[in-house]
Amino acid sequence: MIALRALSKGTGRARRVVLRAAAKVNLVLEVLGKRDDGYHELVTVMQAVDLSDRITLEDADVLELRCDAPGVPTDSTNLAMKAAMVLREAAEVTRGVRMTLDKHIPVGAGLGGGSADAAAVLVGLNRLWRLRWPRARLEEVATRLGMDVPFFLRGGTALGTGRGERIEPLPGRSLGLVLVNPRFAVSTAETYGRVTPEMYTDGRFAKTLGAGRNGRSPARVAASLYNGLQEPVAAAHPAISRMRAALLAAGALGALMSGSGPTVFGVARSYEHARQIRRRLTRGAWDCWAVRTLNGPAIRMSA
Ligand code: C5P
């Protein structure tokens, strides 16, 4: 009887959790001004897309992160490791975890890859460590890790305000997009450092896009794209304008830099059209993906 109970307890406990963490693009990113805390006040429309990292979490005595991708740190400077450390302390857990990160989202790319990984670690450890924390409690920890992390706990399409961390879901729409990355990274802090008051806007682009998203055609979405960080990054990196021009020449309805860059995305008429555009771009020295927007969660647990 005792042995049986011990056995069922053992099998009931998750020893291994596998997650997929999807990237995002910013359909709109407006800088409203500078805040007293050093951050910038933003209004942004964030959209999850189906380009994902894979993260495996295994019960362990130690805290450990493994990642084969070149240039990806495995210490506490990696947001995935930081997420595990911060949650472990906040939840007063004594167990560790062995994390294996299989990177597909480019790093320092404006696609929120590091933030998505961090959100996946929070969701996965909530399960592995059987914390049963509600999302609101995970969101508090997420904000301590970075302003993009709370978005990934929800996914789909969302309006971000404040420093980008206050998230409200918006109705989603299925879109085909093409992502183009120039194989160099850009620092988010440096990008924000280049913003000057002439680049501030008043939220009108987010309002236009948010207002009619329900029945909006890809052409209308393409016409509403705006990123206040694009100009300073394009001034420092001519590749931004070249990638946008190449996307438009290949048939994209509109093209914009995502987040703090340097990845640029193009809006297609459909996913099939996005694949066509991607094929036309493969001669360049860039990495290109045709992706679908995700209406559901950005973090998905595999069996
Ligand atoms: O939130 P996260 O840690 O990703 O931000 C990285 C840096 O980007 C911040 O340290 C800050 O310099 C800048 N930032 C900003 N305003 C925001 C978000 C980020 O100035 N709303």
Side-chain angles (χ1 to χ4, degrees):
M1 194 61 182
I2 291 163
L4 260 183
R5 203 174 296 140
L7 184 71
S8 68
K9 210 173 163 190
T11 51
R13 179 176 174 156
R15 312 293 294 185
R16 186 170 182 270
V17 177
V18 182
L19 305 111
R20 279 186 301 150
K24 61 85 184 157
V25 295
N26 301 78
L27 297 173
V28 167
L29 195 163
E30 293 192 62
V31 182
L32 305 187
K34 185 114 193 238
R35 299 163 51 112
D36 293 340
D37 61 9
Y39 280 81
H40 290 80
E41 189 73 13
L42 305 182
V43 183
T44 179
V45 178
M46 303 170 92
Q47 173 64 63
V49 297
D50 67 349
L51 172 66
S52 301
D53 289 343
R54 186 172 185 272
I55 300 160
T56 306
L57 306 178
E58 288 164 291
D59 191 32
D61 294 326
V62 291
L63 265 190
E64 186 184 275
L65 175 63
R66 294 174 180 177
C67 182
D68 290 340
V72 177
T74 52
D75 60 10
S76 61
T77 59
N78 188 309
L79 267 193
M81 179 57 118
K82 199 166 162 201
M85 291 167 72
V86 171
L87 184 65
R88 190 173 187 247
E89 199 185 312
E92 296 175 8
V93 168
T94 51
R95 297 292 309 154
V97 62
R98 180 168 299 111
M99 300 176 278
T100 309
L101 179 53
D102 187 4
K103 282 300 289 178
H104 297 280
I105 307 171
V107 178
L111 297 174
S115 302
D117 298 343
V121 167
L122 296 182
V123 170
L125 289 181
N126 195 28
R127 169 87 166 258
L128 193 75
W129 289 341
R130 301 209 282 178
L131 304 178
R132 298 194 176 88
W133 279 23
R135 186 169 58 203
R137 210 167 161 197
L138 289 179
E139 271 168 4
E140 278 171 38
V141 175
T143 306
R144 286 163 58 191
L145 298 166
M147 298 310 146
D148 278 353
V149 184
F151 165 76
F152 289 100
L153 293 175
R154 290 179 183 261
T157 315
L159 184 74
T161 54
R163 290 162 296 178
E165 86 285 15
R166 289 207 313 255
I167 298 297
E168 264 172 66
L170 289 175
R173 188 188 193 293
S174 227
L175 285 173
L177 304 178
V178 184
L179 310 182
V180 186
N181 177 270
R183 298 185 188 149
F184 61 78
V186 159
S187 144
T188 304
E190 260 174 46
T191 297
Y192 278 101
R194 292 198 172 104
V195 174
T196 54
E198 308 81 72
M199 297 168 190
Y200 297 161
T201 48
D202 60 3
R204 79 188 91 125
F205 297 98
K207 207 176 261 173
T208 310
L209 185 71
R213 267 192 67 80
N214 255 333
R216 189 164 285 255
S217 68
R220 296 277 308 273
V221 172
S224 316
L225 300 175
Y226 180 80
N227 185 346
L229 300 176
Q230 181 173 266
E231 190 190 315
V233 178
H237 301 287
I240 305 295
S241 306
R242 284 203 292 268
M243 292 186 294
R244 289 182 63 218
L247 274 164
L248 296 172
L253 307 178
L256 187 76
M257 188 183 81
S258 178
S260 53
T263 305
V264 164
F265 65 94
V267 177
R269 283 194 300 273
S270 62
Y271 177 62
E272 265 320 301
H273 185 216
R275 284 167 50 111
Q276 243 176 47
I277 295 171
R278 195 202 76 90
R279 281 196 295 272
R280 291 184 191 138
L281 288 172
T282 48
R283 277 165 291 163
W286 304 320
D287 290 324
C288 308
W289 300 264
V291 297
R292 289 186 173 92
T293 55
L294 289 175
N295 290 327
I299 310 301
R300 286 159 294 168
M301 226 170 287
S302 307

